[in-house]
Amino acid sequence: MSAMAVEFKEDYLQAYRLKSWLLTTDHKRIGLLYMATITFFFFVGGAAATIMRLELMTPKGDVLPSPDAYNRLFTMHGVVMIFFFLIPSIPAVLGNFLIPLMIGARDLAFPILNLLSWYVLMIGGSIAIGILIFGGVDTGWTFYTPFSTMFSNTMVVPAATAVFIAGFSSILTGLNFIVTVHTMRAPGMTWFRLPLFVWALYATSLIQVLGTPVLAIAVALVAVERLLHVGIFDPALGGDPILFQHLFWFYSHPAVYIMLLPSMGVVAEIVPCFSRRPIFGYKLIAFSSVAIAVLGFLVWGHHMFVSGQSMYAGMIFSFLSFMVAIPSAIKVFNWTATMYKGSVRLDTPMLYALGFIGLFTMGGLTGLMLASVAIDVHVHDTYFVVAHFHYIMVGGAVMGYLGGIHFWWPKMSGRMYSELLGKLSALTVFIGFNLTFFPQFVLGYLGMPRRYYEYPAEFQVLNVMSTAGASILAVGYVLPLAYLLFSLRRPPDAGPNPWRASGLEWQTDSPPPVHNFEEIPIVTRGPYQYSPEGAEAIDGNGDDASR
Amino acid sequence: METVTTHRASGPPAAPSDEPILEVQFDDLEQQHEASSVGMWVFLATEVMFFGGLIAAYAVYRAISPSEVALASQHLNVGLGCLNTVILLGSSLSMALAVRAAQLQSRRNLLWFLAITAALGACFLGVKAVEYYQEYREHLIPGWNFQIPAQVAAKSSSLPLDPRRFEMFFVLYFFMTGLHAFHLIVGIALVSVMALLTWRRWFSGSGETQIEVTGLYWHFVDVVWVFLYPLLYLIDVQS
């Protein structure tokens, strides 16, 4: 126990030199490094989206020089947003920051590995930015063969390399979380006293560890075929393009749950806190996270209904895709039931969480439509699909991420932000998002295909609505960046527990000391001890005052 | 990653401390040992999926073109493959004995067994290099000097054989055995580092955790070969 003598009174932000950040092994600082990185990538991907929406304002191609430039643009939008923003978003930022705090540990199990995973992402990200500068890729983020291996004359191999490398960052993060949750819980922190955010990230980590290597193999084989001109996926050389799609979606469908499950975890923290009610159905929510992770591995074929897989495979994948709706719906119903008869307060994090619930429900229900083979054949590769997955990834994952950032910002920085601007941003994002993507459902159903540079004039009204929505959405995303950074100018004023939340992370100072806790807490109760009358039972000293 | 917990004292002849260094995030040595061990197991799960993707690709091509795969497999050297299997199983035995020696704190035995393990690993790579050279001589390396062997070309005019699938087998063969060889090189490096740390007495404590975790990795690389050998070499040995 001699190591415990090395306790610091200062909070973790106290050293300012660049070196103290680049060589840090503190999980909280690494979380902030990730936050800066992915914020950068978010705005890069967002810039690509902005140009695309401008291009699509008119039926003729006029903003971009060529259809080819448009292809490169949507590919970079997809690659950057998925591999360099959404996949690392909540796990690497909030997960890194919060898991040790939530389970009562001084750090993750492997702090140096944690720092390494950030550097690995930076290497992959630098390659991605290099590709962007030196010409881009035009295959779409899916790298479908044989176009990617034999016909595209853009930078496919560097893009595959960037994705391959970024994958290792994801694997290392997931590995670290699994080991930490298994071995580092504070005394008394049983599995069923873990916050649901930790359950969600545990399930996410399982996907990262088990899915990512298959993507790595798929893109490595693409690179081999492209470089050596040997047939693996190209039918002209004796390969099988469907095999690539199987390998690719074996990861890339579960990857949707890498983006979504952590957001569900965030919502499960926010909703009870701002309803002053214990979470309804704790175990069901916990197990539904694991169920989503497991079932998520069995549904990849629903991306391939029209790819030539067998009819029976299509039927089974369709059935299994419907199964995923069950644990997802369990979560939605339980969050809603938590609010029932609660003292609901509509602070900024709660607005984001409510936005998540609404948008995720929309995204999930349209997902069921797409899981039905007949409807999918009809709307395959149209804007209906684009709208659906943006409801899940942006309406779901990004709303959850922003909700989490607003919820834990006082803990991370020690500062409160302007509540008025916060509410404004949540509303702007919600309105802008729906205006952007709801018209796309209609467009897709009317038959507008995705990934096209020009379109018939009859689709223009809906496209103009979508572009107008995107500009509102952009305001909603820039606002938090501005007022959150602005809040840093003030002295720390948040106090340890501004939301009167009951999790372990709120019992230490804001910002937390270097090794999180003055003394490792002994846990004697579950994470959601709220009561609607006013939760005075919970205060900062870790004792169970309600007994 | 398990080397994270190793500690290097300043001078070579430093006396070994009796207790391993406890990293600040852990409460006690038992927790630290458990974390390293669980970490390696999770990493091996990742590795299983890594090779699993390749084996899935192999299974698809073997299922859709069984005769080409069987024919191509006959061009591999079963004798050398068998020898390599024996070598690698032997290295796993000596690795297991090394872990035992670390637990018993018997430094001399530990050093010997680590050295044997690394040497057997190097032997494997040597035999593999001979095999690769033979395949190079027979023009069987796709993307470099691949030519359909004459007797196969003759057969494919009479039988419905797809020569491109014949080549595909070698793509998968080189990819799978190459990835395995890469893992083995990493394993040899790890074992050598462990041997060096033991030899110079640079471990704090006996290095039991580190040796055990290295052993897990080594056995995994061995087990991968136990799958690759029958999948690639033993498809149609009789004919």
Side-chain angles (χ1 to χ4, degrees):
Chain A
M1 302 293 270
S2 59
M4 281 183 66
V6 198
E7 283 291 352
F8 293 83
K9 210 37 203 143
E10 300 108 52
D11 69 62
Y12 78 105
L13 294 168
Q14 280 306 323
Y16 295 105
R17 298 192 34 201
L18 186 63
K19 197 176 146 194
S20 76
W21 283 91
L22 294 181
L23 294 180
T24 183
T25 53
D26 185 332
H27 66 99
K28 301 183 285 302
R29 286 183 156 225
I30 296 172
L32 295 192
L33 289 177
Y34 269 116
M35 186 153 87
T37 311
I38 68 163
T39 304
F40 169 74
F41 281 113
F42 178 75
F43 283 102
V44 170
T50 308
I51 304 173
M52 278 154 67
R53 279 317 323 165
L54 285 175
E55 174 60 68
L56 292 174
M57 227 161 52
T58 53
K60 287 273 159 277
D62 35 24
V63 175
L64 289 164
S66 66
D68 197 42
Y70 184 77
N71 293 347
R72 293 167 195 232
L73 207 59
F74 73 66
T75 304
M76 283 321 285
H77 170 69
V79 169
V80 167
M81 283 300 201
I82 287 175
F83 296 110
F84 298 98
F85 171 69
L86 284 166
I87 297 281
S89 62
I90 296 184
V93 178
L94 294 174
N96 245 323
F97 193 93
L98 290 168
I99 285 182
L101 284 164
M102 282 180 159
I103 66 171
R106 280 178 291 269
D107 207 320
L108 290 171
F110 306 117
I112 297 175
L113 197 66
N114 195 21
L115 181 64
L116 177 71
S117 75
W118 179 71
Y119 277 103
V120 171
L121 184 76
M122 291 299 280
I123 295 170
S126 308
I127 297 174
I129 294 299
I131 295 166
L132 197 64
I133 294 169
F134 295 109
V137 196
D138 64 352
T139 60
W141 78 280
T142 47
F143 300 109
Y144 264 25
T145 53
F147 179 71
S148 63
T149 54
M150 286 298 154
F151 299 102
S152 169
N153 50 10
T154 53
M155 304 173 88
V156 175
V157 172
T161 313
V163 168
F164 187 89
I165 292 173
F168 280 96
S169 167
S170 182
I171 291 173
L172 295 180
T173 302
L175 185 150
N176 222 336
F177 288 175
I178 290 176
V179 175
T180 304
V181 173
H182 269 281
T183 62
M184 310 279 286
R185 285 169 285 126
M189 179 59 87
T190 58
W191 280 88
F192 290 118
R193 283 179 185 159
L194 286 174
L196 290 165
F197 179 76
V198 177
W199 272 98
L201 275 168
Y202 183 81
T204 308
S205 303
L206 290 178
I207 303 174
Q208 288 177 304
V209 164
L210 297 178
T212 318
V214 179
L215 175 77
I217 278 296
V219 296
L221 288 172
V222 165
V224 167
E225 173 161 304
R226 199 175 158 85
L227 294 173
L228 302 180
H229 295 281
V230 291
I232 303 169
F233 299 130
D234 182 7
L237 296 172
D240 184 353
I242 307 291
L243 175 65
F244 171 79
Q245 296 181 22
H246 278 296
L247 291 176
F248 180 82
W249 289 114
F250 181 84
Y251 166 78
S252 294
H253 189 77
V256 175
Y257 301 112
I258 298 180
M259 307 168 200
L260 196 62
L261 273 170
S263 277
M264 293 170 153
V266 168
V267 172
E269 297 298 312
I270 293 175
V271 166
C273 177
F274 290 92
S275 308
R276 314 312 301 171
R277 292 270 293 169
I279 191 93
F280 184 87
Y282 171 92
K283 283 195 182 176
L284 274 174
I285 298 183
F287 286 132
S288 66
S289 288
V290 180
I292 288 175
V294 173
L295 287 170
F297 271 113
L298 305 175
V299 300
W300 77 88
H302 67 216
H303 295 268
M304 301 162 58
F305 285 153
V306 299
S307 292
Q309 71 181 3
S310 89
M311 183 180 90
Y312 302 103
M315 281 159 63
I316 289 167
F317 279 124
S318 171
F319 172 75
L320 288 168
S321 306
F322 274 89
M323 296 288 289
V324 184
I326 296 171
S328 309
I330 285 175
K331 283 178 183 287
V332 172
F333 289 135
N334 280 341
W335 298 324
T336 317
T338 304
M339 283 182 264
Y340 180 64
K341 287 193 175 170
S343 322
V344 177
R345 287 189 45 179
L346 297 176
D347 290 315
T348 310
M350 186 63 166
L351 287 182
Y352 274 109
L354 292 174
F356 171 94
I357 296 175
L359 298 180
F360 168 69
T361 305
M362 278 284 292
L365 290 176
T366 50
L368 286 182
M369 293 169 75
L370 291 171
S372 323
V373 182
I375 299 180
D376 183 75
V377 170
H378 180 60
V379 296
H380 188 85
D381 255 349
T382 67
Y383 266 86
F384 192 89
V385 176
V386 175
H388 156 68
F389 72 71
H390 279 88
Y391 265 78
I392 296 290
M393 292 181 187
V394 186
V398 180
M399 287 295 262
Y401 173 68
L402 285 175
I405 291 288
H406 283 88
F407 188 47
W408 283 291
W409 182 259
K411 182 52 65 184
M412 297 167 119
S413 70
R415 277 108 171 146
M416 296 304 285
Y417 45 85
S418 157
E419 188 59 34
L420 180 71
L421 286 174
K423 283 180 175 152
L424 190 66
S425 81
L427 284 175
T428 315
V429 168
F430 187 79
I431 293 167
F433 176 84
N434 279 301
L435 188 56
T436 311
F437 291 104
F438 196 83
Q440 296 186 4
F441 278 126
V442 184
L443 280 172
Y445 203 77
L446 294 176
M448 178 168 164
R450 62 192 286 206
R451 293 179 168 176
Y452 274 65
Y453 169 68
E454 297 177 324
Y455 55 85
E458 72 230 49
F459 294 137
Q460 186 170 10
V461 175
L462 288 164
N463 269 303
V464 169
M465 281 169 74
S466 183
T467 302
S471 56
I472 297 175
L473 194 55
V475 173
Y477 287 143
V478 174
L479 257 180
L481 184 72
Y483 64 73
L484 288 180
L485 287 177
F486 192 74
S487 78
L488 295 177
R489 291 166 54 91
R490 298 194 311 208
D493 57 354
N497 192 357
W499 311 116
R500 294 182 303 135
S502 73
L504 218 49
E505 76 271 26
W506 300 103
Q507 294 180 12
T508 186
D509 293 337
S510 305
V514 171
H515 288 297
N516 297 348
F517 298 97
E518 295 292 311
E519 207 174 303
I520 290 299
I522 293 170
V523 183
T524 53
R525 55 179 176 78
Y528 303 109
Q529 307 283 310
Y530 296 106
S531 52
E533 294 81 6
E536 269 64 49
I538 308 309
D539 77 53
N541 61 13
D543 289 330
D544 190 357
S546 62
R547 284 189 195 164
Chain B
M1 68 220 57
E2 65 288 355
T3 52
V4 164
T5 50
T6 58
H7 171 75
R8 286 161 193 243
S10 47
S17 42
D18 4 13
E19 279 282 287
I21 299 283
L22 182 66
E23 297 287 326
V24 67
Q25 68 271 27
F26 296 111
D27 288 332
D28 50 40
L29 289 172
E30 193 190 346
Q31 189 188 28
Q32 178 167 299
H33 175 85
E34 198 190 339
S36 300
S37 176
V38 174
M40 183 47 88
W41 278 107
V42 175
F43 178 70
L44 295 185
T46 293
E47 292 277 39
V48 166
M49 296 307 289
F50 209 62
F51 282 96
L54 274 177
I55 290 175
Y58 165 90
V60 166
Y61 288 119
R62 182 155 170 197
I64 59 181
S65 44
S67 41
E68 288 89 341
V69 169
L71 202 60
S73 163
Q74 287 165 16
H75 288 264
L76 300 183
N77 191 328
V78 182
L80 289 181
C82 182
L83 175 65
N84 255 349
T85 308
V86 173
I87 290 175
L88 219 47
L89 288 175
S91 78
S92 255
L93 173 66
S94 85
M95 189 70 230
L97 291 171
V99 172
R100 185 73 189 141
Q103 284 164 353
L104 297 175
Q105 319 239 335
S106 145
R107 188 172 154 272
R108 231 185 120 72
N109 285 351
L110 173 59
L111 263 177
W112 270 113
F113 287 128
L114 286 176
I116 293 171
T117 308
L120 287 173
C123 285
F124 177 95
L125 288 178
V127 174
K128 199 75 224 158
V130 170
E131 276 189 72
Y132 281 165
Y133 181 67
Q134 285 182 355
E135 282 135 15
Y136 169 76
R137 292 276 300 273
E138 292 173 35
H139 299 286
L140 289 174
I141 301 186
W144 189 1
N145 69 353
F146 192 82
Q147 281 171 15
I148 302 285
Q151 71 269 35
V152 176
K155 263 189 197 167
S156 65
S157 54
S158 56
L159 289 169
L161 283 177
D162 185 346
R164 298 170 311 179
R165 290 278 157 75
F166 183 88
E167 182 177 1
M168 170 103 57
F169 174 84
F170 284 95
V171 174
L172 289 170
Y173 163 79
F174 280 106
F175 201 117
M176 290 162 112
T177 55
L179 192 64
H180 175 260
F182 171 75
H183 279 81
L184 195 61
I185 292 168
V186 171
I188 292 171
L190 265 177
V191 170
S192 308
V193 168
M194 292 301 142
L196 182 73
L197 292 173
T198 313
W199 179 45
R200 304 305 295 263
R201 298 175 193 270
W202 281 343
F203 276 128
S204 55
S206 62
E208 193 187 321
T209 303
Q210 289 89 332
I211 304 282
E212 188 182 310
V213 170
T214 309
L216 282 175
Y217 177 82
W218 190 272
H219 295 312
F220 169 78
V221 177
D222 189 7
V223 167
V224 169
W225 180 256
V226 169
F227 279 86
L228 292 189
Y229 174 59
L231 285 179
L232 296 170
Y233 289 78
L234 302 183
I235 296 174
D236 195 6
V237 188
Q238 262 107 35
S239 56

